[in-house]
């Protein structure tokens, strides 16, 4: 059974803060608040989870056998697409055929040279390539339990060299997602069956990358140095 989708369940282990800025009615109270949807409920944007996972994949690329197979599969895929594009240019009998061929060859050769497992997140300059598509992770309702937490942190500012020696602590108030809140979402496999590497290998590699969150080293969102962003992730697969 091929893998079409990876199902995710994320549980916050510490306060979670993702982006956001003060709302008008919170000025004077909350300095910064985590991102919310149109109903005022917290969620985890696809871009945030994708960016954090991409960083993990980058770190795993040099040591993972699966990453090597995925890299080689993308190189083979791009070589095939390069040949198809060059043949199409030849069939078009364009006056600037030589210029077009050189441009296409350069574009593909650069992409082939830079190929890595990170191409699972998209290939710069190319549309409709095999990749992962991320959905926002939505809040799993918990009845009347408030998913938010109000947290105060001090930011320390030292005086400039030309100023009187002084250290000032500026308290800032954050509206974050509290620990113990659950979110669910999906990662879809788009056109990955066009790669020569089995989709099960790719799924196993991505699952291993996702589970790195559970070790506590990789964090989600902002202010990880303040202890924010620790999460626990559960993964399941959905096939044909």
């Amino acid at each position: 059974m091929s893998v079409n989708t990876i199902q995710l369940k994320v549980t916050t282990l510490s306060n979670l803060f993702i982006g956001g800025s003060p709302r008008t009615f919170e000025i004077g109270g909350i300095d910064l608040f985590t991102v919310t949807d149109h109903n005022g409920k917290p969620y985890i944007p696809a871009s945030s989870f994708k960016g954090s996972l991409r960083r993990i994949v980058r770190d795993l690329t040099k040591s993972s056998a699966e990453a090597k197979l995925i890299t080689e599969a993308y190189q083979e895929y791009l070589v095939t697409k390069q040949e198809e594009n060059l043949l199409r240019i030849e069939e078009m009998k364009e006056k600037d055929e030589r210029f077009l061929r050189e441009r296409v060859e350069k574009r593909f050769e650069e992409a082939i040279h830079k190929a890595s497992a990170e191409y699972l997140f998209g290939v710069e300059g190319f549309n409709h390539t095999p990749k992962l598509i991320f959905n926002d992770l939505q809040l799993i309702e918990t009845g009347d339990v408030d998913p938010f937490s109000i947290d105060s942190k001090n930011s320390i500012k030292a005086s400039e060299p030309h100023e009187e020696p002084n250290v000032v602590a500026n308290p800032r108030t954050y509206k974050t997602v509290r620990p113990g809140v659950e979110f669910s979402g999906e990662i879809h496999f788009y056109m990955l069956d066009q790669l020569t590497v089995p989709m099960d290998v790719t799924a196993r590699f991505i699952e291993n990358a996702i589970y790195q969150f559970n070790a506590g080293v990789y964090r989600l969102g902002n202010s990880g140095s303040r202890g924010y962003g620790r999460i626990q992730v559960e993964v399941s697969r959905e096939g044909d």
Side-chain angles (χ1 to χ4, degrees), residues 70-88 101 104-115 119 123 126 129-130 194-196:
I70 293 168
T71 298
E72 292 171 350
Y74 269 104
Q75 289 173 331
E76 293 172 13
Y77 171 83
L78 289 168
V79 167
T80 299
K81 292 301 175 183
Q82 180 185 36
E83 293 171 351
E84 291 176 359
N85 275 265
L86 292 175
L87 180 60
R88 195 174 298 118
R101 286 184 61 88
V104 167
E105 287 175 344
K106 181 180 179 181
R107 179 165 166 257
F108 274 92
E109 285 170 5
E110 288 179 353
I112 292 167
H113 177 71
K114 294 178 181 178
Y119 277 9
V123 183
F126 290 80
T129 57
Q194 294 191 20
L195 297 178
T196 54

Side-chain angles (χ1 to χ4, degrees), residues 2-23:
S2 63
V3 181
N4 292 328
T5 302
I6 289 179
Q7 306 279 353
L8 303 172
K9 180 181 177 183
V10 172
T11 303
T12 56
L13 300 181
S14 66
N15 286 344
L16 174 66
F17 178 76
I18 300 176
S21 58
R23 292 176 179 172

Side-chain angles (χ1 to χ4, degrees), residues 22-23 39 43 59 70 88 153 169 178 203 226 233:
R23 292 176 179 172
N39 291 317
Y43 73 101
D59 290 346
I70 293 168
R88 195 174 298 118
K153 299 284 186 181
R178 63 173 178 79
R226 294 187 173 96
V233 188

